[in-house]
Amino acid sequence: MKAAVIEEVGAAPHATALADPAPTTDTQVVVRVEATALNAIDLHVAEGHHRAGPPKVPYVPGFEVVGTITAGPDQGLRVHATVPAGLVPGVNGGLAELLLTERAACIPVPDGLDSV
């Protein structure tokens, strides 16, 4: 998959290819990303100014995602997911084609609501 990766605190993300994620537990899902919000928290983390400390690099930024579950429980469901990208080792965010997260971090998106 294609993703934007931050490899150094304070550096801009750059496009790269990463392996497609896959669930490793029965509570994880893969979401095909349709839209990602970039918020102030994403900037604070990337710059190393978040109260939890500097990010665990390398990582894919993007705390908020809307997309469709393609693997794991509830395949085909459109969801909004929130992830602690960069704050937990190995947790990537939504500036990628695919997102691996816990199903519990996802809420359904109502029919007729645009992904953006």
Side-chain angles (χ1 to χ4, degrees):
M1 73 170 174
K2 293 177 187 173
V5 177
I6 292 178
E7 293 187 351
E8 182 179 323
V9 175
H14 70 279
T16 190
L18 297 177
D20 289 357
T24 57
T25 70
D26 60 359
T27 62
Q28 291 181 326
V29 295
V30 173
V31 176
R32 178 161 302 283
V33 176
E34 298 168 11
T36 300
L38 289 179
N39 301 307
I41 192 169
D42 293 297
L43 299 176
H44 286 293
V45 171
E47 293 170 354
H49 300 302
H50 192 272
R51 65 178 179 232
K56 314 304 185 234
V57 291
Y59 78 101
V60 177
F63 268 62
E64 291 186 273
V65 172
V66 173
T68 302
I69 296 175
T70 60
D74 298 320
Q75 289 183 41
L77 183 65
R78 281 188 61 237
V79 297
H80 171 273
T82 304
V83 295
L87 296 179
V88 176
V91 174
N92 285 316
L95 281 182
E97 294 177 306
L98 300 170
L99 172 75
L100 176 66
T101 191
E102 291 292 323
R103 173 59 182 92
C106 302
I107 58 171
V109 173
D111 289 339
L113 191 62
D114 184 79
S115 295
V116 176

